[in-house]
Amino acid sequence: MNDSQYTYFIKNGIYTGNNDVFKTLLDLDNEHTEATEIIFDLSGLKDKNPFNMLLIARKLFRFRNKYPNKVFKYTHPNTEDYLGHMGFYNAMGSTKSGKRMGEARGSNTYIPIHKIDFASLNFYDEIEPLAFKLAQVFQFDRDLAKFLQYAFIETIRNVYEHSQSNKAFVCAQRWITHNLVEIAVLDEGCGVAEAMRRYSKDLPEIELLELSLAPGISAKSNHPYLGRDNEWSNSGYGLYVLKELCKTYKGSFTICSNNYAIRYNAKGEKTLFKPSFNGTAVCLRFSTNENVNFTEERRRIVAEGEKLAKENKKAIKTASKSSGGNYGQA
């Protein structure tokens, strides 16, 4: 390699016992302004996880835009591989490699990367059927389909109401032999801490990130307030309910925003990571092998959340109808 070249070795692997995906995000912050040619070695992208794919693809997209005069090259097997089929190369800014985001139809094992443009949606009228359509790709039984629809609604809605971004990116994978599903939703907005500044201007970023997962806290929306009687009013319970549901389904919940990421496992134990990503990404993993009545479990979690909210003077004490899943198909 000569002085005019620099290679970034892109890795993932948060679920294989390390945090390579977050180290990769940090490494991409290192500027090599002397290099006129940048090479991305993608051979380290071995784990086919939606969360990792979205984070890395959009980080690379921003990196490319930051240096419009540099030459970019990539080392990967071919553009028709799994990443190409899922829309990864398109998500990182390529218009020539692989399928476009949302082009692949999906199957009972995967939902390719989709870009959801809020400007083209009448959001509260269209979010439920959109989430239902995404959930039905996996052809789950009734309870798991309701859980997945709820998860898509709450994560995408979180982007719409809090991120100050006009788009969201969604991807999902099902490993049938492992009885496992992962869904990921990402935005490139202001980040959780900035959105939570309405709650406190003095708390550090990591504490604000943790508070966003507490019931009744992150209730303020960037869109016109709907009123407490509206089923879609924001009460700040959505992410809390999803985090607890991932425990019920023997899975994990990960949220990454700006300079911090937290992962909660099936026991509720948390692990802290230090990434670098301008925006927010949420990852839900859950087992499809658990015998759970989704509706009853969601109600139990909402009731527990309302009890916790009573201990915080600033929290909304009652979950909205939508946070409790009381809409349409649920």
Side-chain angles (χ1 to χ4, degrees), residues 54-292:
L54 287 181
L55 279 172
I56 292 173
R58 297 310 294 176
K59 185 76 173 185
L60 291 177
F61 176 84
R62 288 191 175 186
F63 188 100
R64 286 161 49 105
N65 284 351
K66 186 177 180 180
Y67 301 105
N69 297 322
K70 292 185 184 295
V71 175
F72 293 98
K73 295 183 178 180
Y74 309 91
T75 61
H76 49 73
N78 60 75
T79 58
E80 300 304 321
D81 59 5
Y82 175 83
L83 294 175
H85 185 75
M86 294 292 281
F88 173 86
Y89 303 120
N90 183 228
M92 73 179 195
S94 173
T95 58
K96 300 179 181 179
S97 302
K99 294 184 182 297
R100 299 185 306 275
M101 287 181 284
E103 180 181 353
R105 295 181 61 184
S107 73
N108 67 338
T109 60
Y110 74 94
I111 297 172
I113 297 174
H114 281 66
K115 181 172 73 171
I116 299 173
D117 185 354
F118 298 137
S120 64
L121 291 179
N122 186 341
F123 188 82
Y124 293 112
D125 289 336
E126 298 184 52
I127 181 57
E128 184 187 343
L130 172 62
F132 181 75
K133 182 179 179 180
L134 288 170
Q136 289 303 303
V137 172
F138 281 162
Q139 302 172 24
F140 277 148
D141 62 44
R142 182 172 173 78
D143 272 332
L144 281 170
K146 287 195 292 186
F147 175 28
L148 197 59
Q149 182 190 11
Y150 181 84
F152 279 126
I153 286 175
E154 292 301 327
T155 49
I156 297 170
R157 180 184 173 193
N158 189 65
V159 176
Y160 177 75
E161 293 183 333
H162 300 295
S163 72
Q164 300 177 22
S165 175
N166 60 6
K167 60 182 178 293
F169 297 87
V170 178
C171 187
Q173 181 72 42
R174 178 186 183 188
W175 297 272
I176 294 177
T177 56
H178 298 291
N179 301 309
L180 184 67
V181 168
E182 175 179 311
I183 73 170
V185 176
L186 175 149
D187 70 70
E188 295 167 318
C190 64
V192 170
E194 185 62 30
M196 290 288 291
R197 290 297 173 195
R198 301 183 184 92
Y199 179 85
S200 174
K201 296 181 179 180
D202 301 320
L203 288 177
E205 183 179 354
I206 181 58
E207 291 186 30
L208 290 172
L209 182 59
E210 291 177 317
L211 269 175
S212 71
L213 306 177
I217 298 297
S218 57
K220 185 71 173 180
S221 173
N222 290 314
H223 296 272
Y225 187 59
L226 297 171
R228 292 294 295 158
D229 292 333
N230 189 294
E231 66 177 356
W232 292 106
S233 65
N234 191 308
S235 58
Y237 281 74
L239 292 182
Y240 164 77
V241 174
L242 288 177
K243 176 173 70 72
E244 295 301 309
L245 281 169
C246 285
K247 287 167 56 178
T248 298
Y249 283 89
K250 300 296 188 293
S252 63
F253 177 95
T254 305
I255 184 167
C256 169
S257 183
N258 292 357
N259 299 305
Y260 292 95
I262 305 173
R263 181 188 179 197
Y264 293 87
N265 65 18
K267 297 180 180 179
E269 300 165 337
K270 67 180 179 181
T271 304
L272 179 66
F273 301 95
K274 291 280 290 182
S276 173
F277 183 79
N278 294 330
T280 302
V282 175
C283 176
L284 285 74
R285 272 199 166 199
F286 61 90
S287 170
T288 63
N289 211 28
E290 301 302 308
N291 185 19
V292 176

